[in-house]
């Protein structure tokens, strides 16, 4: 190894040594020659060692330079990678340094700040909204990982900071903003659903409990009230049963545990079946039904689901619309079957129409709670059309009409 690295020197050294030996040989008895030989020998040895040490030092410093260059290269590479990552990731990201300056930010961050990236120099730059400034300052001052939720421009973000530590020193933080608007919305919907369901179930239970308490009083002796209460308890129990049944059905639909048996169906036959079941109710309300079939092509769908959809919609016309006429048009185009149910009843206001498919939503809450169903009918309709990859829309003009338009794809097998 040593010889390989210092080949030249060793060779020179050998030559010098040979010359020395020759000199020593020739003038062995001459003290000057002996002294010269010795001096030459010592000089050669010194040169040899100095050049070896020099060479080693050169090699070490060259290695150091190379290492430094490699380190710089790898830092540049990491930075370039980080820049690419930050630029192309679809959520806002910003890299702040230990002085609170913005080292790097992506377009999504600039968009969120409503500023260009060049304007965003520090965490206290003018364009940064107060809310974000406060979060960035917290991150910068705390120098540790932080997770916080913020609302900005009607959106919710979760802001997560990752501190960058190098040689045990804080060098800055990478701050990532992820859009959690949908997630929070779903959470709120879920919470509202649980609260609404509890309320819906509690109301009849409280009524039943109150009536039973009165009926079981020792001094209670009123036959007329007893009959009234028993009828009321029966009514409330049936309502409870309906709510629980619809809730279970909805939950099965949402969890996709309902098996759909899709077969080619005659839509008019299903609509007629729904009308047949509601014949008495329709007659009772004096509602004329008119069916028009413009597209006769069979539809690949689950018959039980479609029957539930049409029954719910026609039942609603009986219960809420006060209409005298219901027109059902079965139409279609190359892709879809389009079924319209239009009544000439009281209609639904613009304010209510946006919430009509929400669970437990009723237009006239108090009245329809007693006269109507569970408040889940239209949610079930929407879910059932959804699992068929279809769509249901409602249009209405108060005191003129309400129409539900169902669009179902003709070719979906899944
Ligand atoms: P429910 O299951 O209690 O019948 P729905 O979810 O089916 O409730 O309907 C929600 C609300 O929509 C009803 O309370 C009613 O006010 C309104 N509604 C539904 N269909 C009609 C219609 N054809 N005309 C007027 N209002 C309607």
């Amino acid at each position: 190894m040593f010889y390989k690295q210092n080949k030249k020197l060793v060779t020179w050294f050998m030559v010098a040594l040979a010359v020395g030996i020759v000199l020593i040989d020739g003038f062995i008895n001459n003290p000057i020659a002996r002294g010269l030989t010795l001096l030459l020998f010592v000089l050669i040895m010194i040169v040899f060692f100095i050049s070896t040490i020099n060479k080693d030092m050169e090699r070490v410093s060259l290695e150091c330079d190379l290492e430094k260059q490699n380190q710089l290269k790898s830092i540049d590479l990491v930075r370039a990678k980080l820049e690419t990552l930050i630029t192309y990731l679809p959520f806002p990201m910003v890299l702040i340094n230990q002085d609170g300056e913005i080292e790097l930010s992506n377009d999504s961050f600039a968009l969120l700040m409503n500023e260009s990236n060049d304007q965003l120099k520090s965490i206290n730059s003018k364009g940064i909204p107060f809310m974000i400034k406060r979060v960035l300052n917290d991150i910068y001052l705390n120098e540790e990982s932080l997770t916080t939720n913020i609302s900005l421009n009607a959106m919710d973000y979760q802001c997560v900071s990752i501190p960058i530590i190098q040689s045990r020193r804080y060098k800055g933080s990478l701050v990532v903003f992820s859009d959690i608007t949908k997630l929070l919305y779903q959470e709120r919907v879920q919470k509202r659903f649980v609260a609404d369901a509890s309320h819906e179930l509690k109301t009849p239970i409280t009524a039943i409990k109150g009536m039973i308490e009165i009926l079981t009083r020792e001094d209670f002796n009123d036959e007329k009230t007893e009959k009234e209460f028993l009828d009321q308890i029966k009514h409330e129990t049936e309502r409870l049963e309906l709510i629980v049944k619809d809730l279970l059905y909805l939950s099965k639909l949402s969890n996709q545990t309902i098996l759909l048996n899709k077969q080619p169906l005659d839509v008019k036959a299903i609509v007629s079946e729904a009308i047949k079941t509601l014949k008495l109710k329709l007659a009772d309300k004096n509602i004329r039904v008119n069916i028009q079939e413009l597209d006769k092509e069979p539809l690949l769908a689950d018959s039980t689901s479609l029957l539930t959809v049409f029954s719910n919609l026609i039942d609603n016309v009986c219960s809420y619309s006060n209409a005298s006429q219901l027109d059902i048009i079965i139409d279609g185009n190359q892709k879809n079957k389009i079924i319209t149910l239009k009544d000439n009843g009281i209609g639904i206001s613009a304010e209510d129409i946006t919430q009509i498919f929400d669970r437990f939503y009723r237009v006239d809450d108090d009245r329809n709670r007693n006269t109507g169903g569970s408040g889940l009918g239209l949610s079930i309709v929407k879910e059932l059309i959804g699992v068929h990859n279809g769509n249901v829309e409602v249009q209405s003009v108060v005191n003129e009409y309400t129409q539900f338009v169902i669009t179902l794809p003709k070719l979906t097998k899944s």
Side-chain angles (χ1 to χ4, degrees):
M1 169 88 174
F2 174 79
Y3 176 72
K4 260 189 184 171
Q5 283 171 358
N6 304 282
K7 212 172 176 178
K8 246 183 190 173
L9 261 174
V10 174
T11 318
W12 276 110
F13 175 68
M14 296 307 283
V15 172
L17 205 64
V19 173
I21 289 163
V22 169
L23 279 172
I24 291 164
D25 262 345
F27 306 97
I28 197 84
N29 290 323
N30 187 333
I32 298 167
R34 207 182 298 148
L36 272 174
T37 311
L38 205 67
L39 193 68
L40 189 68
F41 186 75
V42 170
L43 270 175
I44 287 168
M45 287 303 279
I46 288 169
V47 170
F48 170 69
F49 279 114
I50 286 176
S51 61
T52 310
I53 288 165
N54 259 351
K55 196 115 185 176
D56 269 359
M57 277 169 67
E58 259 174 38
R59 191 163 41 83
V60 169
S61 95
L62 210 73
E63 274 175 12
C64 278
D65 282 355
L66 257 169
E67 205 168 306
K68 256 189 198 162
Q69 269 177 16
N70 280 343
Q71 264 180 7
L72 283 173
K73 254 190 204 163
S74 80
I75 288 171
D76 279 351
L77 208 72
V78 170
R79 197 188 157 86
K81 274 184 187 169
L82 194 66
E83 253 184 65
T84 318
L85 194 75
I86 288 182
T87 310
Y88 290 106
L89 277 176
F91 28 79
M93 277 179 133
V94 59
L95 182 67
I96 54 176
N97 67 16
Q98 69 268 45
D99 301 317
E101 288 158 351
I102 292 179
E103 287 263 333
L104 210 64
S105 62
N106 64 0
D107 290 351
S108 306
F109 181 75
L111 204 72
L112 183 69
M113 301 299 107
N114 212 2
E115 278 285 348
S116 73
N117 271 322
D118 308 338
Q119 302 294 317
L120 302 167
K121 299 257 187 269
S122 103
I123 55 173
N124 290 314
S125 284
K126 227 170 57 189
I128 300 180
F130 172 73
M131 176 74 79
I132 307 273
K133 258 184 203 166
R134 214 174 62 186
V135 173
L136 293 180
N137 270 292
D138 267 3
I139 290 167
Y140 162 64
L141 293 173
N142 279 307
E143 298 187 359
E144 55 190 38
S145 180
L146 215 88
T147 304
T148 176
N149 289 1
I150 52 162
S151 297
L152 193 72
N153 308 332
M155 303 274 277
D156 294 300
Y157 293 93
Q158 184 170 68
C159 170
V160 180
S161 74
I162 305 141
I164 297 160
I165 309 289
Q166 264 173 13
S167 316
R168 293 201 195 157
R169 298 191 108 205
Y170 175 73
K171 294 285 176 191
S173 289
L174 180 67
V175 191
V176 183
F177 296 79
S178 40
D179 183 358
I180 51 165
T181 317
K182 257 194 192 160
L183 211 76
L184 288 192
Y185 174 75
Q186 276 163 0
E187 211 176 279
R188 274 181 219 130
V189 167
Q190 191 66 23
K191 276 186 187 161
R192 209 186 80 193
F193 173 66
V194 172
D196 288 350
S198 316
H199 176 71
E200 289 294 326
L201 294 171
K202 204 179 152 214
T203 314
I205 289 172
T206 312
I208 293 169
K209 197 172 162 241
M211 285 184 278
I212 288 175
E213 270 171 13
I214 295 171
L215 287 175
T216 52
R217 269 189 205 152
E218 273 185 17
D219 58 342
F220 183 79
N221 186 17
D222 179 346
E223 267 187 38
K224 198 178 154 230
T225 314
E226 186 181 335
K227 170 134 191 8
E228 245 174 52
F229 276 15
L230 285 176
D231 283 349
Q232 190 61 24
I233 288 172
K234 186 171 174 271
H235 172 75
E236 295 293 353
T237 317
E238 280 166 1
R239 234 169 64 74
L240 265 177
E241 196 185 10
L242 180 72
I243 294 172
V244 172
K245 193 186 100 216
D246 281 356
L247 269 175
L248 280 174
Y249 190 59
L250 252 182
S251 124
K252 277 185 188 165
L253 271 175
S254 313
N255 297 334
Q256 294 173 349
T257 46
I258 283 203
L259 281 180
L260 297 180
N261 180 18
K262 287 191 182 179
Q263 280 175 349
L265 296 180
D266 176 354
V267 177
K268 193 180 174 193
I270 308 276
V271 170
S272 305
E273 204 179 325
I275 292 169
K276 210 169 130 193
T277 356
L278 290 159
K279 210 168 117 189
L280 282 179
K281 227 175 164 181
L282 285 162
D284 190 42
K285 299 272 174 170
N286 283 322
I287 301 170
R288 279 187 316 277
V289 185
N290 172 39
I291 309 177
Q292 227 183 320
E293 193 184 26
L294 303 173
D295 180 86
K296 289 185 196 293
E297 205 182 318
L299 175 75
L300 199 67
D302 175 57
S303 62
T304 319
S305 304
L306 282 204
L307 188 62
T308 309
V309 167
F310 296 132
S311 301
N312 267 332
L313 293 177
I314 299 169
D315 193 25
N316 279 356
V317 176
C318 297
S319 304
Y320 311 115
S321 74
N322 229 353
S324 59
Q325 173 88 22
L326 169 62
D327 291 305
I328 302 174
I329 303 164
I330 303 161
D331 201 353
N333 54 32
Q334 264 197 325
K335 281 186 178 170
N336 302 309
K337 199 93 172 167
I338 302 160
I339 306 126
T340 309
L341 292 93
K342 183 176 183 180
D343 68 60
N344 61 349
I346 57 167
I348 304 166
S349 73
E351 189 196 327
D352 288 315
I353 218 159
T354 52
Q355 302 170 73
I356 205 86
F357 291 105
D358 290 358
R359 292 166 184 194
F360 297 116
Y361 189 80
R362 295 181 181 96
V363 172
D364 188 347
D365 201 10
D366 287 337
R367 193 167 61 87
N368 288 346
R369 177 171 286 130
N370 290 320
T371 56
S374 61
L376 296 169
L378 287 179
S379 315
I380 291 176
V381 166
K382 193 167 181 158
E383 287 281 344
L384 281 173
I385 297 297
V387 292
H388 280 81
N389 302 317
N391 184 37
V392 54
E393 278 173 11
V394 57
Q395 287 118 28
S396 184
V397 172
V398 173
N399 290 327
E400 280 190 29
Y401 74 91
T402 300
Q403 82 170 12
F404 287 88
V405 183
I406 296 167
T407 310
L408 286 163
K410 283 180 172 173
L411 293 171
T412 6
K413 288 217 178 211
S414 59

